[in-house]
């Protein structure tokens, strides 16, 4: 996998022209995305409803692609990467897991299989992708594991119990989220974490100017997200061992300071 470009501003006109010249075959798809962005942005001014509409459109075309996998082989590989990383950091069958933005269970079906029955709880803003997640449960024969799959309108997590989840996981969610959505999650996730629990999330990292491409992809500096977590009384740190894996995003781990961690971080 190519090294991460941590300085480029992908929203800048010069970058877009240079990228188009290097990859002319990708220009039609980008133009289609830009047109969709204008149309959906007009119909859905708030970000959550906008991205729910994006997911509806993408899921109808291909659920695997809708969660960022260009084919089933890549879908399986990325799911295995997520699973192996968390198991390597201490995810045990008796743990209770909340997956934010569970999608069509790219990693989730492996977590469901690993955890005790009823210990996996997946939420997503897209009802369409959750229907595809149900199909994955059937495809993988996981009905007896009793996973919970729930649509949500926001990330306040108010309907979930206090101190319940040992592991909270959000893969490729904040890479599609503006700061107010991320802050909403960080303001509430500490309440649902059990003592010793942790919250892992990935993000698109930049060491240059923070920016977004259309309303779909957001690039943040690490210190911005660390400071945002600290504002809500959380301890957050950059996971250097994740950087060794062939994945384009970076990872931060959040814990509640008063809770002694039970995990081997590997960082």
């Amino acid at each position: 996998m190519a090294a991460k470009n941590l300085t480029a501003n992908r929203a800048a006109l010069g970058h877009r022209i240079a990228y188009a010249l290097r990859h002319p075959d990708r220009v039609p798809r980008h133009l289609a995305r830009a047109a969709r962005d204008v149309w959906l942005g007009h119909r859905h001014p708030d970000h959550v409803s906008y991205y729910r509409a994006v997911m509806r459109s993408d899921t109808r075309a291909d659920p695997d692609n809708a969660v960022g996998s260009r084919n089933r082989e890549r879908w399986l590989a990325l799911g295995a990467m997520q699973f192996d990383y968390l198991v390597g950091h201490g995810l045990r069958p008796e743990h209770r897991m909340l997956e934010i933005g569970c999608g069509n269970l790219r990693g989730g079906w492996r977590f469901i299989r690993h955890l005790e029955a009823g210990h996996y709880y997946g939420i997503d803003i897209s009802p369409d992708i959750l229907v595809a997640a149900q199909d994955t449960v059937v495809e993988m024969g996981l009905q007896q594991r009793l996973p919970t799959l729930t649509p949500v309108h926001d990330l306040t997590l108010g309907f979930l119990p206090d101190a319940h989840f040992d592991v909270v996981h959000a893969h490729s969610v904040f890479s599609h989220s503006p700061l107010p959505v991320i802050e909403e999650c960080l303001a509430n996730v500490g309440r649902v974490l059990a003592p010793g629990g942790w919250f892992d999330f990935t993000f698109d990292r930049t060491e240059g100017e923070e920016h977004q491409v259309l309303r779909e992809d957001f690039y943040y500096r690490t210190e911005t997200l660390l400071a945002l977590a600290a504002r809500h009384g959380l301890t957050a740190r950059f996971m250097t061992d994740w950087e060794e894996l062939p994945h384009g995003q970076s990872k931060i781990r959040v814990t509640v300071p008063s809770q002694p961690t039970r995990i081997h971080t590997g960082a």
Side-chain angles (χ1 to χ4, degrees):
M1 183 175 181
K4 298 176 184 178
N5 186 338
L6 298 178
T7 58
N9 184 337
R10 294 160 180 81
L13 179 60
H15 177 86
R16 287 185 289 169
I17 291 173
Y19 187 87
L21 292 173
R22 292 195 307 270
H23 305 284
D25 57 309
R26 300 180 186 179
V27 171
R29 181 177 183 275
H30 179 77
L31 291 176
R33 284 182 62 196
R36 182 179 69 176
D37 177 73
V38 172
W39 171 244
L40 293 181
H42 174 72
R43 296 187 64 194
H44 305 282
D46 71 284
H47 183 77
V48 171
S49 62
Y50 163 83
Y51 205 75
R52 184 179 295 117
V54 169
M55 288 297 295
R56 181 182 304 116
S57 172
D58 286 347
T59 300
R60 286 173 178 172
D62 181 355
D64 291 353
N65 189 262
V67 298
S69 301
R70 59 183 176 269
N71 53 47
R72 179 46 63 119
E73 181 181 8
R74 184 63 176 161
W75 186 84
L76 290 167
L78 287 174
M81 188 186 305
Q82 297 172 47
F83 176 77
D84 291 343
Y85 187 84
L86 282 189
V87 170
H89 281 258
L91 178 66
R92 302 195 301 270
E94 67 270 21
H95 283 162
R96 298 183 185 275
M97 180 177 184
L98 169 66
E99 186 159 34
I100 297 171
C102 64
N104 67 336
L105 303 180
R106 177 171 57 183
W109 73 267
R110 298 176 189 272
F111 296 131
I112 293 166
R113 186 179 61 181
H114 176 72
L115 298 169
E116 294 178 4
H119 280 212
Y120 176 91
Y121 203 113
I123 63 175
D124 206 288
I125 65 167
S126 170
D128 299 88
I129 202 66
L130 288 177
V131 172
Q134 293 173 350
D135 293 339
T136 300
V137 170
V138 174
E139 176 187 353
M140 301 302 179
L142 298 170
Q143 295 94 327
Q144 299 304 313
R145 310 305 294 172
L146 296 174
T148 299
L149 303 171
T150 301
V152 295
H153 290 287
D154 54 40
L155 294 181
T156 58
L157 310 177
F159 65 100
L160 296 172
D162 291 357
H164 185 74
F165 295 101
D166 302 286
V167 178
V168 180
H169 186 242
H171 186 94
S172 196
V173 174
F174 291 173
S175 54
H176 303 299
S177 302
L179 278 179
V181 172
I182 297 174
E183 182 163 21
E184 181 177 75
C185 182
L186 292 174
N188 293 284
V189 72
R191 181 187 63 80
V192 304
L193 276 172
W198 75 94
F199 170 36
D200 273 13
F201 65 83
T202 63
F203 67 104
D204 278 325
R205 179 163 63 102
T206 181
E207 293 180 356
E209 181 181 359
E210 296 184 331
H211 59 282
Q212 68 184 71
V213 178
L214 305 178
R215 293 173 66 190
E216 295 187 29
D217 302 304
F218 294 78
Y219 293 81
Y220 297 111
R221 296 175 65 90
T222 303
E223 52 265 35
T224 296
L225 300 181
L226 296 181
L228 194 60
R231 184 185 305 170
H232 294 284
L234 303 169
T235 297
R237 59 196 183 86
F238 185 77
M239 301 303 288
T240 56
D241 59 342
W242 175 263
E243 296 293 293
E244 301 167 7
L245 300 175
H247 193 277
Q249 296 180 13
S250 296
K251 184 183 286 283
I252 285 175
R253 174 159 298 167
V254 168
T255 57
V256 179
S258 61
Q259 299 176 347
T261 185
R262 295 190 304 231
I263 61 173
H264 165 67
T265 65

